PDB file of all heavy atoms in Angstrom:
ATOM      1  N   GLY A   6     -71.155 -31.233-136.613  1.00  0.00           N
ATOM      2  CA  GLY A   6     -69.792 -30.906-136.987  1.00  0.00           C
ATOM      3  C   GLY A   6     -68.800 -31.665-136.131  1.00  0.00           C
ATOM      4  O   GLY A   6     -69.176 -32.343-135.166  1.00  0.00           O
ATOM      5  N   PHE A   7     -67.520 -31.561-136.497  1.00  0.00           N
ATOM      6  CA  PHE A   7     -66.483 -32.202-135.703  1.00  0.00           C
ATOM      7  C   PHE A   7     -65.245 -31.321-135.652  1.00  0.00           C
ATOM      8  O   PHE A   7     -65.052 -30.434-136.497  1.00  0.00           O
ATOM      9  CB  PHE A   7     -66.139 -33.600-136.240  1.00  0.00           C
ATOM     10  CG  PHE A   7     -65.515 -33.630-137.615  1.00  0.00           C
ATOM     11  CD1 PHE A   7     -64.125 -33.578-137.780  1.00  0.00           C
ATOM     12  CD2 PHE A   7     -66.308 -33.741-138.747  1.00  0.00           C
ATOM     13  CE1 PHE A   7     -63.547 -33.629-139.041  1.00  0.00           C
ATOM     14  CE2 PHE A   7     -65.736 -33.793-140.028  1.00  0.00           C
ATOM     15  CZ  PHE A   7     -64.359 -33.731-140.174  1.00  0.00           C
ATOM     16  N   VAL A   8     -64.430 -31.567-134.637  1.00  0.00           N
ATOM     17  CA  VAL A   8     -63.196 -30.818-134.441  1.00  0.00           C
ATOM     18  C   VAL A   8     -62.025 -31.764-134.642  1.00  0.00           C
ATOM     19  O   VAL A   8     -62.016 -32.875-134.100  1.00  0.00           O
ATOM     20  CB  VAL A   8     -63.135 -30.203-133.029  1.00  0.00           C
ATOM     21  CG1 VAL A   8     -61.839 -29.423-132.829  1.00  0.00           C
ATOM     22  CG2 VAL A   8     -64.343 -29.308-132.784  1.00  0.00           C
ATOM     23  N   THR A   9     -61.052 -31.326-135.415  1.00  0.00           N
ATOM     24  CA  THR A   9     -59.879 -32.156-135.634  1.00  0.00           C
ATOM     25  C   THR A   9     -58.656 -31.264-135.765  1.00  0.00           C
ATOM     26  O   THR A   9     -58.760 -30.109-136.178  1.00  0.00           O
ATOM     27  CB  THR A   9     -60.050 -33.037-136.896  1.00  0.00           C
ATOM     28  OG1 THR A   9     -58.954 -33.953-137.006  1.00  0.00           O
ATOM     29  CG2 THR A   9     -60.110 -32.197-138.164  1.00  0.00           C
ATOM     30  N   ALA A  10     -57.520 -31.786-135.382  1.00  0.00           N
ATOM     31  CA  ALA A  10     -56.257 -31.055-135.518  1.00  0.00           C
ATOM     32  C   ALA A  10     -55.291 -31.922-136.310  1.00  0.00           C
ATOM     33  O   ALA A  10     -55.045 -33.073-135.959  1.00  0.00           O
ATOM     34  CB  ALA A  10     -55.668 -30.716-134.150  1.00  0.00           C
ATOM     35  N   GLY A  11     -54.801 -31.376-137.378  1.00  0.00           N
ATOM     36  CA  GLY A  11     -53.836 -32.100-138.195  1.00  0.00           C
ATOM     37  C   GLY A  11     -53.234 -31.140-139.195  1.00  0.00           C
ATOM     38  O   GLY A  11     -53.773 -30.062-139.435  1.00  0.00           O
ATOM     39  N   SER A  12     -52.134 -31.503-139.750  1.00  0.00           N
ATOM     40  CA  SER A  12     -51.501 -30.648-140.743  1.00  0.00           C
ATOM     41  C   SER A  12     -52.414 -30.536-141.955  1.00  0.00           C
ATOM     42  O   SER A  12     -52.938 -31.537-142.439  1.00  0.00           O
ATOM     43  CB  SER A  12     -50.161 -31.234-141.151  1.00  0.00           C
ATOM     44  OG  SER A  12     -49.339 -31.348-140.019  1.00  0.00           O
ATOM     45  N   TYR A  13     -52.613 -29.314-142.397  1.00  0.00           N
ATOM     46  CA  TYR A  13     -53.513 -29.152-143.534  1.00  0.00           C
ATOM     47  C   TYR A  13     -52.784 -29.401-144.841  1.00  0.00           C
ATOM     48  O   TYR A  13     -51.574 -29.134-144.930  1.00  0.00           O
ATOM     49  CB  TYR A  13     -54.161 -27.761-143.506  1.00  0.00           C
ATOM     50  CG  TYR A  13     -53.303 -26.617-144.040  1.00  0.00           C
ATOM     51  CD1 TYR A  13     -53.263 -26.327-145.404  1.00  0.00           C
ATOM     52  CD2 TYR A  13     -52.542 -25.828-143.179  1.00  0.00           C
ATOM     53  CE1 TYR A  13     -52.482 -25.284-145.895  1.00  0.00           C
ATOM     54  CE2 TYR A  13     -51.765 -24.782-143.660  1.00  0.00           C
ATOM     55  CZ  TYR A  13     -51.737 -24.522-145.018  1.00  0.00           C
ATOM     56  OH  TYR A  13     -50.959 -23.484-145.509  1.00  0.00           O
ATOM     57  N   PRO A  14     -53.465 -29.927-145.848  1.00  0.00           N
ATOM     58  CA  PRO A  14     -54.856 -30.379-145.818  1.00  0.00           C
ATOM     59  C   PRO A  14     -55.003 -31.687-145.039  1.00  0.00           C
ATOM     60  O   PRO A  14     -54.294 -32.658-145.328  1.00  0.00           O
ATOM     61  CB  PRO A  14     -55.215 -30.552-147.294  1.00  0.00           C
ATOM     62  CG  PRO A  14     -53.909 -30.802-147.979  1.00  0.00           C
ATOM     63  CD  PRO A  14     -52.878 -30.027-147.211  1.00  0.00           C
ATOM     64  N   ALA A  15     -55.902 -31.701-144.061  1.00  0.00           N
ATOM     65  CA  ALA A  15     -56.098 -32.865-143.195  1.00  0.00           C
ATOM     66  C   ALA A  15     -56.923 -33.920-143.939  1.00  0.00           C
ATOM     67  O   ALA A  15     -57.963 -33.594-144.520  1.00  0.00           O
ATOM     68  CB  ALA A  15     -56.815 -32.448-141.917  1.00  0.00           C
ATOM     69  N   PRO A  16     -56.483 -35.173-143.936  1.00  0.00           N
ATOM     70  CA  PRO A  16     -57.187 -36.217-144.697  1.00  0.00           C
ATOM     71  C   PRO A  16     -58.673 -36.344-144.365  1.00  0.00           C
ATOM     72  O   PRO A  16     -59.497 -36.503-145.270  1.00  0.00           O
ATOM     73  CB  PRO A  16     -56.424 -37.493-144.320  1.00  0.00           C
ATOM     74  CG  PRO A  16     -55.038 -37.003-144.019  1.00  0.00           C
ATOM     75  CD  PRO A  16     -55.236 -35.667-143.348  1.00  0.00           C
ATOM     76  N   ASN A  17     -59.031 -36.262-143.065  1.00  0.00           N
ATOM     77  CA  ASN A  17     -60.453 -36.426-142.737  1.00  0.00           C
ATOM     78  C   ASN A  17     -61.279 -35.213-143.163  1.00  0.00           C
ATOM     79  O   ASN A  17     -62.472 -35.331-143.465  1.00  0.00           O
ATOM     80  CB  ASN A  17     -60.658 -36.741-141.256  1.00  0.00           C
ATOM     81  CG  ASN A  17     -60.000 -35.754-140.320  1.00  0.00           C
ATOM     82  OD1 ASN A  17     -59.256 -34.870-140.743  1.00  0.00           O
ATOM     83  ND2 ASN A  17     -60.246 -35.904-139.027  1.00  0.00           N
ATOM     84  N   VAL A  18     -60.666 -34.036-143.230  1.00  0.00           N
ATOM     85  CA  VAL A  18     -61.376 -32.857-143.721  1.00  0.00           C
ATOM     86  C   VAL A  18     -61.515 -32.919-145.242  1.00  0.00           C
ATOM     87  O   VAL A  18     -62.553 -32.536-145.801  1.00  0.00           O
ATOM     88  CB  VAL A  18     -60.668 -31.562-143.283  1.00  0.00           C
ATOM     89  CG1 VAL A  18     -61.461 -30.333-143.743  1.00  0.00           C
ATOM     90  CG2 VAL A  18     -60.507 -31.522-141.762  1.00  0.00           C
ATOM     91  N   ILE A  19     -60.480 -33.416-145.919  1.00  0.00           N
ATOM     92  CA  ILE A  19     -60.572 -33.631-147.374  1.00  0.00           C
ATOM     93  C   ILE A  19     -61.734 -34.565-147.678  1.00  0.00           C
ATOM     94  O   ILE A  19     -62.550 -34.309-148.578  1.00  0.00           O
ATOM     95  CB  ILE A  19     -59.265 -34.228-147.918  1.00  0.00           C
ATOM     96  CG1 ILE A  19     -58.123 -33.204-147.840  1.00  0.00           C
ATOM     97  CG2 ILE A  19     -59.445 -34.699-149.362  1.00  0.00           C
ATOM     98  CD1 ILE A  19     -56.773 -33.772-148.242  1.00  0.00           C
ATOM     99  N   GLU A  20     -61.824 -35.656-146.914  1.00  0.00           N
ATOM    100  CA  GLU A  20     -62.889 -36.637-147.128  1.00  0.00           C
ATOM    101  C   GLU A  20     -64.260 -36.024-146.876  1.00  0.00           C
ATOM    102  O   GLU A  20     -65.196 -36.214-147.671  1.00  0.00           O
ATOM    103  CB  GLU A  20     -62.682 -37.843-146.202  1.00  0.00           C
ATOM    104  CG  GLU A  20     -63.720 -38.933-146.389  1.00  0.00           C
ATOM    105  CD  GLU A  20     -63.565 -40.075-145.388  1.00  0.00           C
ATOM    106  OE1 GLU A  20     -62.608 -40.040-144.585  1.00  0.00           O
ATOM    107  OE2 GLU A  20     -64.408 -40.989-145.419  1.00  0.00           O
ATOM    108  N   ALA A  21     -64.380 -35.261-145.789  1.00  0.00           N
ATOM    109  CA  ALA A  21     -65.665 -34.640-145.466  1.00  0.00           C
ATOM    110  C   ALA A  21     -66.087 -33.644-146.545  1.00  0.00           C
ATOM    111  O   ALA A  21     -67.246 -33.626-146.980  1.00  0.00           O
ATOM    112  CB  ALA A  21     -65.591 -33.950-144.112  1.00  0.00           C
ATOM    113  N   ALA A  22     -65.145 -32.818-147.002  1.00  0.00           N
ATOM    114  CA  ALA A  22     -65.460 -31.795-148.002  1.00  0.00           C
ATOM    115  C   ALA A  22     -65.783 -32.423-149.360  1.00  0.00           C
ATOM    116  O   ALA A  22     -66.572 -31.858-150.133  1.00  0.00           O
ATOM    117  CB  ALA A  22     -64.288 -30.826-148.141  1.00  0.00           C
ATOM    118  N   ALA A  23     -65.178 -33.573-149.634  1.00  0.00           N
ATOM    119  CA  ALA A  23     -65.413 -34.222-150.926  1.00  0.00           C
ATOM    120  C   ALA A  23     -66.730 -34.984-150.965  1.00  0.00           C
ATOM    121  O   ALA A  23     -67.305 -35.181-152.042  1.00  0.00           O
ATOM    122  CB  ALA A  23     -64.262 -35.172-151.237  1.00  0.00           C
ATOM    123  N   SER A  24     -67.204 -35.398-149.796  1.00  0.00           N
ATOM    124  CA  SER A  24     -68.396 -36.252-149.766  1.00  0.00           C
ATOM    125  C   SER A  24     -69.636 -35.556-149.219  1.00  0.00           C
ATOM    126  O   SER A  24     -70.730 -36.109-149.270  1.00  0.00           O
ATOM    127  CB  SER A  24     -68.108 -37.505-148.925  1.00  0.00           C
ATOM    128  OG  SER A  24     -67.733 -37.149-147.597  1.00  0.00           O
ATOM    129  N   ALA A  25     -69.466 -34.353-148.686  1.00  0.00           N
ATOM    130  CA  ALA A  25     -70.605 -33.614-148.137  1.00  0.00           C
ATOM    131  C   ALA A  25     -70.332 -32.116-148.271  1.00  0.00           C
ATOM    132  O   ALA A  25     -69.195 -31.702-148.479  1.00  0.00           O
ATOM    133  CB  ALA A  25     -70.828 -33.978-146.669  1.00  0.00           C
ATOM    134  N   ASP A  26     -71.377 -31.328-148.148  1.00  0.00           N
ATOM    135  CA  ASP A  26     -71.233 -29.877-148.213  1.00  0.00           C
ATOM    136  C   ASP A  26     -70.881 -29.392-146.810  1.00  0.00           C
ATOM    137  O   ASP A  26     -71.712 -29.480-145.899  1.00  0.00           O
ATOM    138  CB  ASP A  26     -72.547 -29.251-148.698  1.00  0.00           C
ATOM    139  CG  ASP A  26     -72.395 -27.785-149.067  1.00  0.00           C
ATOM    140  OD1 ASP A  26     -71.249 -27.288-149.029  1.00  0.00           O
ATOM    141  OD2 ASP A  26     -73.422 -27.145-149.371  1.00  0.00           O
ATOM    142  N   VAL A  27     -69.664 -28.918-146.614  1.00  0.00           N
ATOM    143  CA  VAL A  27     -69.218 -28.525-145.277  1.00  0.00           C
ATOM    144  C   VAL A  27     -68.651 -27.110-145.276  1.00  0.00           C
ATOM    145  O   VAL A  27     -68.308 -26.562-146.319  1.00  0.00           O
ATOM    146  CB  VAL A  27     -68.139 -29.492-144.721  1.00  0.00           C
ATOM    147  CG1 VAL A  27     -68.651 -30.926-144.692  1.00  0.00           C
ATOM    148  CG2 VAL A  27     -66.853 -29.409-145.539  1.00  0.00           C
ATOM    149  N   LYS A  28     -68.552 -26.555-144.078  1.00  0.00           N
ATOM    150  CA  LYS A  28     -67.904 -25.257-143.883  1.00  0.00           C
ATOM    151  C   LYS A  28     -66.905 -25.399-142.747  1.00  0.00           C
ATOM    152  O   LYS A  28     -67.249 -25.885-141.656  1.00  0.00           O
ATOM    153  CB  LYS A  28     -68.921 -24.172-143.533  1.00  0.00           C
ATOM    154  CG  LYS A  28     -68.276 -22.797-143.309  1.00  0.00           C
ATOM    155  CD  LYS A  28     -69.312 -21.733-142.995  1.00  0.00           C
ATOM    156  CE  LYS A  28     -68.652 -20.370-142.784  1.00  0.00           C
ATOM    157  NZ  LYS A  28     -67.965 -19.858-143.988  1.00  0.00           N
ATOM    158  N   VAL A  29     -65.667 -24.989-142.990  1.00  0.00           N
ATOM    159  CA  VAL A  29     -64.648 -24.957-141.948  1.00  0.00           C
ATOM    160  C   VAL A  29     -64.637 -23.541-141.378  1.00  0.00           C
ATOM    161  O   VAL A  29     -64.438 -22.572-142.117  1.00  0.00           O
ATOM    162  CB  VAL A  29     -63.259 -25.331-142.499  1.00  0.00           C
ATOM    163  CG1 VAL A  29     -62.226 -25.312-141.371  1.00  0.00           C
ATOM    164  CG2 VAL A  29     -63.288 -26.711-143.149  1.00  0.00           C
ATOM    165  N   LEU A  30     -64.883 -23.424-140.076  1.00  0.00           N
ATOM    166  CA  LEU A  30     -65.052 -22.113-139.460  1.00  0.00           C
ATOM    167  C   LEU A  30     -63.745 -21.335-139.378  1.00  0.00           C
ATOM    168  O   LEU A  30     -62.673 -21.902-139.155  1.00  0.00           O
ATOM    169  CB  LEU A  30     -65.627 -22.261-138.054  1.00  0.00           C
ATOM    170  CG  LEU A  30     -66.998 -22.934-137.932  1.00  0.00           C
ATOM    171  CD1 LEU A  30     -67.464 -22.896-136.471  1.00  0.00           C
ATOM    172  CD2 LEU A  30     -68.035 -22.273-138.844  1.00  0.00           C
ATOM    173  N   SER A  31     -63.857 -20.028-139.531  1.00  0.00           N
ATOM    174  CA  SER A  31     -62.736 -19.110-139.315  1.00  0.00           C
ATOM    175  C   SER A  31     -62.854 -18.476-137.940  1.00  0.00           C
ATOM    176  O   SER A  31     -63.962 -18.258-137.429  1.00  0.00           O
ATOM    177  CB  SER A  31     -62.741 -17.997-140.372  1.00  0.00           C
ATOM    178  OG  SER A  31     -61.991 -18.355-141.503  1.00  0.00           O
ATOM    179  N   LEU A  32     -61.713 -18.171-137.343  1.00  0.00           N
ATOM    180  CA  LEU A  32     -61.675 -17.426-136.091  1.00  0.00           C
ATOM    181  C   LEU A  32     -61.398 -15.965-136.405  1.00  0.00           C
ATOM    182  O   LEU A  32     -60.709 -15.643-137.375  1.00  0.00           O
ATOM    183  CB  LEU A  32     -60.572 -17.954-135.171  1.00  0.00           C
ATOM    184  CG  LEU A  32     -60.851 -19.223-134.362  1.00  0.00           C
ATOM    185  CD1 LEU A  32     -60.873 -20.458-135.262  1.00  0.00           C
ATOM    186  CD2 LEU A  32     -59.800 -19.400-133.254  1.00  0.00           C
ATOM    187  N   THR A  33     -61.926 -15.090-135.567  1.00  0.00           N
ATOM    188  CA  THR A  33     -61.561 -13.685-135.674  1.00  0.00           C
ATOM    189  C   THR A  33     -60.175 -13.505-135.081  1.00  0.00           C
ATOM    190  O   THR A  33     -59.685 -14.368-134.334  1.00  0.00           O
ATOM    191  CB  THR A  33     -62.548 -12.793-134.925  1.00  0.00           C
ATOM    192  OG1 THR A  33     -62.455 -13.086-133.507  1.00  0.00           O
ATOM    193  CG2 THR A  33     -63.983 -13.048-135.387  1.00  0.00           C
ATOM    194  N   ASP A  34     -59.528 -12.399-135.376  1.00  0.00           N
ATOM    195  CA  ASP A  34     -58.211 -12.148-134.793  1.00  0.00           C
ATOM    196  C   ASP A  34     -58.289 -12.066-133.275  1.00  0.00           C
ATOM    197  O   ASP A  34     -57.355 -12.471-132.570  1.00  0.00           O
ATOM    198  CB  ASP A  34     -57.616 -10.861-135.365  1.00  0.00           C
ATOM    199  CG  ASP A  34     -57.150 -11.041-136.806  1.00  0.00           C
ATOM    200  OD1 ASP A  34     -56.973 -12.196-137.239  1.00  0.00           O
ATOM    201  OD2 ASP A  34     -56.965 -10.020-137.508  1.00  0.00           O
ATOM    202  N   GLU A  35     -59.423 -11.554-132.762  1.00  0.00           N
ATOM    203  CA  GLU A  35     -59.606 -11.485-131.311  1.00  0.00           C
ATOM    204  C   GLU A  35     -59.693 -12.890-130.718  1.00  0.00           C
ATOM    205  O   GLU A  35     -59.131 -13.165-129.649  1.00  0.00           O
ATOM    206  CB  GLU A  35     -60.872 -10.691-130.968  1.00  0.00           C
ATOM    207  CG  GLU A  35     -60.804  -9.212-131.268  1.00  0.00           C
ATOM    208  CD  GLU A  35     -60.929  -8.899-132.760  1.00  0.00           C
ATOM    209  OE1 GLU A  35     -61.358  -9.801-133.540  1.00  0.00           O
ATOM    210  OE2 GLU A  35     -60.594  -7.758-133.147  1.00  0.00           O
ATOM    211  N   GLN A  36     -60.395 -13.783-131.391  1.00  0.00           N
ATOM    212  CA  GLN A  36     -60.502 -15.158-130.903  1.00  0.00           C
ATOM    213  C   GLN A  36     -59.152 -15.870-130.963  1.00  0.00           C
ATOM    214  O   GLN A  36     -58.797 -16.612-130.043  1.00  0.00           O
ATOM    215  CB  GLN A  36     -61.542 -15.920-131.735  1.00  0.00           C
ATOM    216  CG  GLN A  36     -62.970 -15.498-131.438  1.00  0.00           C
ATOM    217  CD  GLN A  36     -63.978 -16.116-132.398  1.00  0.00           C
ATOM    218  OE1 GLN A  36     -63.656 -16.394-133.559  1.00  0.00           O
ATOM    219  NE2 GLN A  36     -65.183 -16.334-131.926  1.00  0.00           N
ATOM    220  N   VAL A  37     -58.400 -15.639-132.023  1.00  0.00           N
ATOM    221  CA  VAL A  37     -57.061 -16.225-132.116  1.00  0.00           C
ATOM    222  C   VAL A  37     -56.206 -15.773-130.936  1.00  0.00           C
ATOM    223  O   VAL A  37     -55.512 -16.575-130.299  1.00  0.00           O
ATOM    224  CB  VAL A  37     -56.380 -15.838-133.445  1.00  0.00           C
ATOM    225  CG1 VAL A  37     -54.908 -16.275-133.437  1.00  0.00           C
ATOM    226  CG2 VAL A  37     -57.105 -16.468-134.632  1.00  0.00           C
ATOM    227  N   ALA A  38     -56.281 -14.488-130.615  1.00  0.00           N
ATOM    228  CA  ALA A  38     -55.505 -13.946-129.494  1.00  0.00           C
ATOM    229  C   ALA A  38     -55.914 -14.605-128.182  1.00  0.00           C
ATOM    230  O   ALA A  38     -55.070 -14.885-127.320  1.00  0.00           O
ATOM    231  CB  ALA A  38     -55.678 -12.441-129.424  1.00  0.00           C
ATOM    232  N   GLU A  39     -57.218 -14.859-128.017  1.00  0.00           N
ATOM    233  CA  GLU A  39     -57.707 -15.503-126.787  1.00  0.00           C
ATOM    234  C   GLU A  39     -57.122 -16.897-126.615  1.00  0.00           C
ATOM    235  O   GLU A  39     -56.856 -17.331-125.491  1.00  0.00           O
ATOM    236  CB  GLU A  39     -59.232 -15.595-126.815  1.00  0.00           C
ATOM    237  CG  GLU A  39     -59.973 -14.316-126.491  1.00  0.00           C
ATOM    238  CD  GLU A  39     -61.472 -14.563-126.383  1.00  0.00           C
ATOM    239  OE1 GLU A  39     -61.913 -15.108-125.349  1.00  0.00           O
ATOM    240  OE2 GLU A  39     -62.187 -14.213-127.335  1.00  0.00           O
ATOM    241  N   THR A  40     -56.943 -17.610-127.710  1.00  0.00           N
ATOM    242  CA  THR A  40     -56.440 -18.986-127.615  1.00  0.00           C
ATOM    243  C   THR A  40     -54.964 -19.057-127.247  1.00  0.00           C
ATOM    244  O   THR A  40     -54.484 -20.089-126.798  1.00  0.00           O
ATOM    245  CB  THR A  40     -56.626 -19.737-128.952  1.00  0.00           C
ATOM    246  OG1 THR A  40     -55.755 -19.172-129.946  1.00  0.00           O
ATOM    247  CG2 THR A  40     -58.074 -19.666-129.424  1.00  0.00           C
ATOM    248  N   LYS A  41     -54.243 -17.946-127.490  1.00  0.00           N
ATOM    249  CA  LYS A  41     -52.795 -17.893-127.249  1.00  0.00           C
ATOM    250  C   LYS A  41     -52.035 -18.914-128.101  1.00  0.00           C
ATOM    251  O   LYS A  41     -50.939 -19.356-127.751  1.00  0.00           O
ATOM    252  CB  LYS A  41     -52.475 -18.090-125.761  1.00  0.00           C
ATOM    253  CG  LYS A  41     -52.982 -16.953-124.878  1.00  0.00           C
ATOM    254  CD  LYS A  41     -52.615 -17.171-123.427  1.00  0.00           C
ATOM    255  CE  LYS A  41     -52.914 -15.950-122.575  1.00  0.00           C
ATOM    256  NZ  LYS A  41     -54.316 -15.513-122.615  1.00  0.00           N
ATOM    257  N   ARG A  42     -52.604 -19.249-129.245  1.00  0.00           N
ATOM    258  CA  ARG A  42     -51.941 -20.117-130.204  1.00  0.00           C
ATOM    259  C   ARG A  42     -51.458 -19.292-131.393  1.00  0.00           C
ATOM    260  O   ARG A  42     -51.736 -18.100-131.503  1.00  0.00           O
ATOM    261  CB  ARG A  42     -52.888 -21.225-130.688  1.00  0.00           C
ATOM    262  CG  ARG A  42     -53.275 -22.228-129.615  1.00  0.00           C
ATOM    263  CD  ARG A  42     -52.082 -23.016-129.116  1.00  0.00           C
ATOM    264  NE  ARG A  42     -52.473 -24.090-128.201  1.00  0.00           N
ATOM    265  CZ  ARG A  42     -51.628 -24.777-127.459  1.00  0.00           C
ATOM    266  NH1 ARG A  42     -50.329 -24.519-127.522  1.00  0.00           N
ATOM    267  NH2 ARG A  42     -52.058 -25.725-126.655  1.00  0.00           N
ATOM    268  N   THR A  43     -50.745 -19.939-132.298  1.00  0.00           N
ATOM    269  CA  THR A  43     -50.194 -19.266-133.467  1.00  0.00           C
ATOM    270  C   THR A  43     -51.251 -19.156-134.568  1.00  0.00           C
ATOM    271  O   THR A  43     -51.902 -20.146-134.915  1.00  0.00           O
ATOM    272  CB  THR A  43     -48.979 -20.049-134.003  1.00  0.00           C
ATOM    273  OG1 THR A  43     -48.001 -20.153-132.963  1.00  0.00           O
ATOM    274  CG2 THR A  43     -48.365 -19.355-135.206  1.00  0.00           C
ATOM    275  N   ARG A  44     -51.419 -17.949-135.094  1.00  0.00           N
ATOM    276  CA  ARG A  44     -52.388 -17.724-136.180  1.00  0.00           C
ATOM    277  C   ARG A  44     -51.896 -18.408-137.453  1.00  0.00           C
ATOM    278  O   ARG A  44     -50.715 -18.370-137.782  1.00  0.00           O
ATOM    279  CB  ARG A  44     -52.551 -16.220-136.441  1.00  0.00           C
ATOM    280  CG  ARG A  44     -53.611 -15.832-137.468  1.00  0.00           C
ATOM    281  CD  ARG A  44     -53.644 -14.310-137.589  1.00  0.00           C
ATOM    282  NE  ARG A  44     -54.733 -13.832-138.417  1.00  0.00           N
ATOM    283  CZ  ARG A  44     -54.669 -13.661-139.743  1.00  0.00           C
ATOM    284  NH1 ARG A  44     -53.535 -13.940-140.384  1.00  0.00           N
ATOM    285  NH2 ARG A  44     -55.707 -13.204-140.431  1.00  0.00           N
ATOM    286  N   LEU A  45     -52.814 -19.036-138.168  1.00  0.00           N
ATOM    287  CA  LEU A  45     -52.469 -19.709-139.415  1.00  0.00           C
ATOM    288  C   LEU A  45     -53.617 -19.519-140.402  1.00  0.00           C
ATOM    289  O   LEU A  45     -54.801 -19.545-140.020  1.00  0.00           O
ATOM    290  CB  LEU A  45     -52.216 -21.192-139.165  1.00  0.00           C
ATOM    291  CG  LEU A  45     -51.752 -22.043-140.351  1.00  0.00           C
ATOM    292  CD1 LEU A  45     -50.753 -23.108-139.898  1.00  0.00           C
ATOM    293  CD2 LEU A  45     -52.932 -22.708-141.055  1.00  0.00           C
ATOM    294  N   VAL A  46     -53.286 -19.320-141.654  1.00  0.00           N
ATOM    295  CA  VAL A  46     -54.291 -19.150-142.704  1.00  0.00           C
ATOM    296  C   VAL A  46     -54.244 -20.346-143.645  1.00  0.00           C
ATOM    297  O   VAL A  46     -53.202 -20.649-144.228  1.00  0.00           O
ATOM    298  CB  VAL A  46     -54.060 -17.842-143.492  1.00  0.00           C
ATOM    299  CG1 VAL A  46     -55.063 -17.735-144.644  1.00  0.00           C
ATOM    300  CG2 VAL A  46     -54.169 -16.634-142.573  1.00  0.00           C
ATOM    301  N   ILE A  47     -55.384 -21.019-143.787  1.00  0.00           N
ATOM    302  CA  ILE A  47     -55.528 -22.101-144.759  1.00  0.00           C
ATOM    303  C   ILE A  47     -56.032 -21.457-146.055  1.00  0.00           C
ATOM    304  O   ILE A  47     -57.132 -20.909-146.088  1.00  0.00           O
ATOM    305  CB  ILE A  47     -56.527 -23.168-144.278  1.00  0.00           C
ATOM    306  CG1 ILE A  47     -56.066 -23.761-142.942  1.00  0.00           C
ATOM    307  CG2 ILE A  47     -56.696 -24.260-145.327  1.00  0.00           C
ATOM    308  CD1 ILE A  47     -57.060 -24.732-142.319  1.00  0.00           C
ATOM    309  N   PRO A  48     -55.231 -21.481-147.105  1.00  0.00           N
ATOM    310  CA  PRO A  48     -55.598 -20.752-148.334  1.00  0.00           C
ATOM    311  C   PRO A  48     -56.892 -21.261-148.967  1.00  0.00           C
ATOM    312  O   PRO A  48     -57.233 -22.453-148.868  1.00  0.00           O
ATOM    313  CB  PRO A  48     -54.407 -21.003-149.268  1.00  0.00           C
ATOM    314  CG  PRO A  48     -53.296 -21.431-148.369  1.00  0.00           C
ATOM    315  CD  PRO A  48     -53.928 -22.146-147.229  1.00  0.00           C
ATOM    316  N   ALA A  49     -57.614 -20.351-149.592  1.00  0.00           N
ATOM    317  CA  ALA A  49     -58.814 -20.715-150.347  1.00  0.00           C
ATOM    318  C   ALA A  49     -58.469 -21.809-151.345  1.00  0.00           C
ATOM    319  O   ALA A  49     -57.390 -21.821-151.933  1.00  0.00           O
ATOM    320  CB  ALA A  49     -59.367 -19.485-151.056  1.00  0.00           C
ATOM    321  N   GLY A  50     -59.399 -22.749-151.523  1.00  0.00           N
ATOM    322  CA  GLY A  50     -59.176 -23.827-152.469  1.00  0.00           C
ATOM    323  C   GLY A  50     -58.475 -25.032-151.904  1.00  0.00           C
ATOM    324  O   GLY A  50     -58.290 -26.024-152.608  1.00  0.00           O
ATOM    325  N   THR A  51     -58.091 -24.969-150.647  1.00  0.00           N
ATOM    326  CA  THR A  51     -57.427 -26.126-150.036  1.00  0.00           C
ATOM    327  C   THR A  51     -58.377 -27.314-149.970  1.00  0.00           C
ATOM    328  O   THR A  51     -57.981 -28.459-150.212  1.00  0.00           O
ATOM    329  CB  THR A  51     -56.915 -25.768-148.629  1.00  0.00           C
ATOM    330  OG1 THR A  51     -55.947 -24.725-148.729  1.00  0.00           O
ATOM    331  CG2 THR A  51     -56.277 -26.973-147.951  1.00  0.00           C
ATOM    332  N   TYR A  52     -59.637 -27.038-149.631  1.00  0.00           N
ATOM    333  CA  TYR A  52     -60.648 -28.084-149.548  1.00  0.00           C
ATOM    334  C   TYR A  52     -61.745 -27.824-150.580  1.00  0.00           C
ATOM    335  O   TYR A  52     -61.983 -26.679-150.974  1.00  0.00           O
ATOM    336  CB  TYR A  52     -61.255 -28.125-148.140  1.00  0.00           C
ATOM    337  CG  TYR A  52     -60.244 -28.439-147.062  1.00  0.00           C
ATOM    338  CD1 TYR A  52     -59.895 -27.477-146.109  1.00  0.00           C
ATOM    339  CD2 TYR A  52     -59.624 -29.675-146.998  1.00  0.00           C
ATOM    340  CE1 TYR A  52     -58.957 -27.754-145.122  1.00  0.00           C
ATOM    341  CE2 TYR A  52     -58.688 -29.969-146.018  1.00  0.00           C
ATOM    342  CZ  TYR A  52     -58.359 -29.011-145.084  1.00  0.00           C
ATOM    343  OH  TYR A  52     -57.425 -29.287-144.121  1.00  0.00           O
TER     344      TYR A  52
END
């Protein structure tokens, strides 16, 4: 797998999802809180 940060839909994630079977991981609310970053939801069907 790989880690990338970009405005969604991210071009390299679009490419990966279109050319291979991939899963983009979700964080739990507890994990989001640990990161101290802003929670964001990528809607179903984006990739």
Side-chain angles (χ1 to χ4, degrees):
F7 65 91
V8 180
T9 187
S12 301
Y13 80 85
N17 53 353
V18 183
I19 291 175
E20 182 184 357
S24 59
D26 192 5
V27 303
K28 180 179 180 63
V29 181
L30 300 184
S31 270
L32 280 72
T33 65
D34 287 342
E35 291 75 15
Q36 287 172 330
V37 171
E39 282 187 77
T40 68
K41 294 181 171 57
R42 293 296 187 192
T43 302
R44 185 179 187 271
L45 184 144
V46 176
I47 301 174
T51 298
Y52 299 113

